[in-house]
Amino acid sequence: MPLKRETLTSKQYVVPFALITSLFFLWGFARNILDVLNKHFHDSLEISNTEAALVQVTTYLGYFLMAVPAGMFINRFGYKKGVVLGLLLYAAGAFMFIPGSHMGTLYPFLVCLFVIACGLAILETSANPYAAELGAKETSASRLNFAQSFNGLGACLAPITVGTFLFSEGESADVSIPYAIMGVVVVVVAIIFAFSKLPEIKHDDASATETVEQVRNPYSQLFKNKMFIFGAFALLAYEVAEISVNSYFVTFASELHIFTAKSASQFLGFGLIFFMVGRFVGSWVMQGIPAEKTLYACATGTIISIVGIIISSFLFLQGITWLKYAPLVFVVSNYMCEAIMFPTIFSLAIKGLGNLTKSASSILMMTPVGGCAFVLVGLVADQFGYVAPFFITLIAFLVVWAYARKQDKEYVEA
């Protein structure tokens, strides 16, 4: 049966939810700068596609290494202190771009990105479950999708603003300028959070015996939960797919001579507007339609979109010139369909976990390590051409589809 349409959150949580939602913009902006950075470094530092992919690898390796420590930190000190610590690390890494830009090599930038990634891992491990829990359990997926919509806003603005700056200036562009501005903004937000009152969510749905066991060994308990593990694997696959498309798009579009690098980065920002809209629409839809069914429909849509990109690109390369812009239509379609995936999979995976929620969140925030698959994307592009990497994306979305189908089947049977 469809859910009764309900409000996103209760009155007592409006202010905390608004504050937490603002954070989603900040990490959306930071993560999607990467989509133009690898092309910028490829050109300005004269490195290969595989070497440029280290931008993604370094960032998402930071997520992988910091996620569990982040979960331990917020288990002990709470969501608020996790947010503040994450913001301070984010700002520190951004300011490190200033000396890094004077060294003229890729590796100082990778150190800066690693520090930022550690901050983002703590920030997301804190904010994602907190946003999901600030209200009724029935609307947790809808609430997290709404908050993640502002992640989409940051995602679409990053390639437009930073990409336009970097590619307009060419190799002389000082990449430290946008990062220095980001650092100042993030410090201000950290100060606001340090002096704000955020309620800690208490879970009363577990028995005393279960609570003691969960406190002693929460990760062992989680790894016994097959649906949680499936959800974590699906989230990892989603990260592989999403990051591969976003980070590869500028190279793909420019190398196929569909766009220049500057125009491709601007189109990427345009496409991500649809990503943002998809999350707003998804948030509204899931106030009345079960998250499981919405995810299943969207997973099917992504598979159709990626197959469309592959076929239309191949035909264009075979000389059917009127299909030049067809891949772009399917890219936009993919953004609309994939928009709800991360927050929906995340909220379904932590649903009903009670006192295990913070630890579960830390495991789920290891999944951006899927961005390291961008090295494979670079290798495949270098060896087999610029269309072949989309087969990696297709396989990843098939995993998400399998998880969505399983969730939908269990919802129908419940």
Side-chain angles (χ1 to χ4, degrees):
M1 293 290 293
L3 294 174
K4 178 183 177 181
R5 190 169 296 281
E6 300 183 34
T7 56
L8 283 178
T9 188
S10 56
K11 291 182 179 179
Q12 70 186 102
Y13 293 139
V14 169
V15 173
F17 183 63
L19 286 172
I20 286 295
T21 297
S22 69
L23 299 176
F24 287 74
F25 174 87
L26 293 178
W27 77 64
F29 196 93
R31 283 180 60 164
N32 284 273
I33 289 180
L34 304 180
D35 302 336
V36 297
L37 269 190
N38 65 306
K39 178 62 175 175
H40 171 71
F41 288 146
H42 174 271
D43 295 342
S44 62
L45 301 177
E46 298 181 348
I47 57 179
S48 68
N49 288 321
T50 305
E51 289 175 301
L54 290 175
V55 168
Q56 275 73 20
V57 172
T58 301
T59 298
Y60 297 116
L61 186 61
Y63 270 87
F64 181 78
L65 295 175
M66 184 54 67
V68 170
M72 295 170 66
F73 182 90
I74 64 173
N75 264 321
R76 181 171 181 180
F77 297 105
Y79 289 118
K80 176 181 173 179
K81 290 182 179 178
V83 166
V84 173
L85 177 60
L87 288 169
L88 292 177
L89 281 174
Y90 181 169
F95 287 130
M96 286 170 60
F97 263 78
I98 297 173
S101 65
H102 296 290
M103 298 182 185
T105 62
L106 178 64
Y107 298 101
F109 292 120
L110 297 182
V111 173
C112 301
L113 291 170
F114 182 81
V115 174
I116 292 174
C118 290
L120 296 182
I122 298 173
L123 200 59
E124 294 194 49
T125 302
S126 303
N128 276 301
Y130 193 57
E133 292 182 12
L134 286 172
K137 293 179 181 179
E138 292 79 9
T139 54
S140 61
S142 176
R143 188 164 45 254
L144 188 53
N145 267 278
F146 181 82
Q148 284 273 0
S149 299
F150 292 88
N151 173 284
L153 178 60
C156 68
L157 288 179
I160 292 174
T161 56
V162 180
T164 299
F165 171 75
L166 293 179
F167 296 126
S168 294
E169 297 292 326
E171 294 185 12
S172 63
D174 187 350
V175 72
S176 69
I177 293 175
Y179 275 95
I181 295 171
M182 287 165 54
V184 172
V185 172
V186 170
V187 167
V188 172
V189 175
I191 293 172
I192 292 172
F193 269 88
F195 292 96
S196 299
K197 292 183 178 180
L198 297 180
E200 280 294 319
I201 306 297
K202 303 295 182 182
H203 296 283
D204 301 317
D205 56 337
S207 70
T209 302
E210 290 172 330
T211 302
V212 169
E213 179 61 25
Q214 289 169 359
V215 169
R216 286 178 177 175
N217 201 346
Y219 295 104
S220 174
Q221 293 294 302
L222 286 169
F223 284 117
K224 294 176 183 177
N225 187 322
K226 293 182 180 180
M227 278 306 293
F228 171 76
I229 296 302
F230 197 0
F233 190 59
L235 204 59
L236 174 65
Y238 165 75
E239 292 283 6
V240 170
E242 187 224 1
I243 294 164
S244 294
V245 172
N246 289 356
S247 299
Y248 181 59
F249 177 78
V250 175
T251 298
F252 167 75
S254 58
E255 293 294 337
L256 264 65
H257 304 293
I258 298 174
F259 286 133
T260 63
K262 178 181 176 180
S263 296
S265 67
Q266 292 172 335
F267 182 87
L268 179 61
F270 170 77
L272 289 170
I273 291 174
F274 287 90
F275 181 85
M276 176 185 66
V277 170
R279 279 192 172 161
F280 277 118
V281 172
S283 174
W284 180 81
V285 167
M286 280 185 280
Q287 290 178 56
I289 296 176
E292 294 86 348
K293 291 189 173 298
T294 307
L295 179 63
Y296 186 34
C298 289
T300 303
T302 58
I303 292 171
I304 295 170
S305 298
I306 298 302
V307 170
I309 293 172
I310 294 170
I311 294 175
S312 60
S313 298
F314 177 77
L315 294 175
F316 169 63
L317 290 174
Q318 298 304 307
I320 305 178
T321 55
W322 62 270
L323 286 174
K324 179 177 182 179
Y325 297 110
L328 306 183
V329 175
F330 287 111
V331 167
V332 171
S333 171
N334 177 68
Y335 282 143
M336 287 288 290
C337 292
E338 76 172 15
I340 62 104
M341 286 186 172
F342 181 91
T344 304
I345 296 170
F346 191 101
S347 61
L348 290 175
I350 66 173
K351 188 175 182 179
L353 292 180
N355 290 311
L356 293 172
T357 299
K358 292 175 181 177
S359 298
S361 176
S362 69
I363 293 175
L364 295 178
M365 287 318 304
M366 295 174 73
T367 60
V369 75
C372 293
F374 192 62
V375 171
L376 180 60
V377 170
L379 287 169
V380 170
D382 287 337
Q383 295 296 319
F384 302 105
Y386 290 96
V387 178
F390 284 103
F391 283 99
I392 298 172
T393 307
L394 179 60
I395 294 169
F397 276 134
L398 283 170
V399 174
V400 176
W401 182 87
Y403 174 74
R405 185 174 182 274
K406 177 69 173 176
Q407 282 283 2
D408 182 58
K409 184 178 179 181
E410 291 199 353
Y411 176 82
V412 171
E413 293 175 351

